[in-house]
Amino acid sequence: MGANYLKELFSDMSGKNSLSILNQKQFQDSIDYSLEKILTEKPLIFISMTRSAEDILTQVGEKKENLFIIDVFSKETTFANGIEPNIIYISNPANLTSIQIAVDKALKKFPSATILFDSLGVLSVYSEEKLFQKFIYLFNNKMNLLEGTVLFFAIKNTIEEEILSTVKQFCDKTYDFSELYIASVELAH
């Protein structure tokens, strides 16, 4: 996995709310790297807007015991519905309250887990801007009180700049890797 640029983020994210801004080409490698890295160290609550729970479980294999998936991607809940205790399906991405309730349930199982949101841009499309900003604000405040670790991923140019600015304000640390891949490709030529 070629997401070595994330090493700085992972070296200093414990107990913090971090935002990582990526470009489209970096996105999948970054998610894969993060899944692998976090699951080797501690439990993970993964709020997925871009992949199904089935795909994620296939990728992580035996490490699934330390993984709780909140699947906001799948419209159908045919896979592991009621069978897999570490999966909650949210059929309506606009229902931010359901996402918060699902995170609360996941935290009961894994109180010290890192929480990973794979795409704030996708989530923001389904919600009214002010409501989304309020959700991020309340979520970050709650996680700060719990001394939790949260990692948000956002793909540059897929989220409104005003929303991204608000998210940055609520995060302890922001990492913008979005120009990194482009610059390294240009250097190679």
Side-chain angles (χ1 to χ4, degrees), residues 14-40:
S14 185
K16 295 180 181 169
N17 296 332
S18 302
L19 170 64
S20 178
I21 303 168
L22 307 166
N23 63 51
Q24 190 68 49
K25 291 186 182 339
Q26 295 167 313
F27 181 71
Q28 195 56 56
D29 279 347
S30 297
I31 297 300
D32 293 345
Y33 178 88
S34 299
L35 279 168
E36 182 69 31
K37 178 79 172 153
I38 294 167
L39 285 171
T40 57

Side-chain angles (χ1 to χ4, degrees), residues 27-28 31 35 44-57 59 67-75 87-93 99 102-103 115-120 122-123 126 151 153:
F27 181 71
Q28 195 56 56
I31 297 300
L35 279 168
L44 172 65
I45 299 168
F46 185 17
I47 296 104
S48 178
M49 265 65 76
T50 61
R51 291 169 63 194
S52 70
E54 182 178 15
D55 289 346
I56 297 163
L57 288 176
Q59 178 186 341
L67 177 63
F68 199 109
I69 302 169
I70 300 169
D71 184 341
V72 187
F73 174 78
S74 301
K75 298 297 180 216
I87 300 174
I88 295 176
Y89 292 93
I90 307 290
S91 60
N92 180 2
I99 294 171
V103 170
I115 298 174
L116 171 64
F117 278 82
D118 74 348
S119 182
L120 288 181
V122 172
L123 187 60
Y126 292 99
L151 176 55
F153 280 109

Side-chain angles (χ1 to χ4, degrees), residues 54-162:
E54 182 178 15
D55 289 346
I56 297 163
L57 288 176
T58 301
Q59 178 186 341
V60 300
E62 294 178 18
K63 293 180 183 170
K64 75 178 189 172
E65 297 304 317
N66 286 327
L67 177 63
F68 199 109
I69 302 169
I70 300 169
D71 184 341
V72 187
F73 174 78
S74 301
K75 298 297 180 216
E76 297 290 320
T77 59
T78 54
F79 175 75
N81 192 20
I83 298 168
E84 198 62 55
N86 289 358
I87 300 174
I88 295 176
Y89 292 93
I90 307 290
S91 60
N92 180 2
N95 191 341
L96 301 175
T97 302
S98 289
I99 294 171
Q100 181 62 55
I101 291 168
V103 170
D104 290 343
K105 287 181 182 177
L107 282 168
K108 284 186 173 110
K109 178 147 188 176
F110 296 127
S112 65
T114 296
I115 298 174
L116 171 64
F117 278 82
D118 74 348
S119 182
L120 288 181
V122 172
L123 187 60
S124 71
V125 167
Y126 292 99
S127 302
E128 193 270 332
E129 184 177 317
K130 294 295 180 199
L131 185 63
F132 181 78
Q133 290 171 333
K134 185 176 180 181
F135 169 77
I136 295 297
Y137 170 75
L138 293 172
F139 185 83
N140 277 349
N141 279 344
K142 180 176 186 169
M143 294 314 298
N144 281 333
L145 290 172
L146 296 172
E147 297 180 6
T149 302
V150 181
L151 176 55
F152 296 105
F153 280 109
I155 300 172
K156 189 143 187 132
N157 301 325
T158 65
I159 186 169
E160 294 288 328
E161 207 49 54
E162 186 176 329

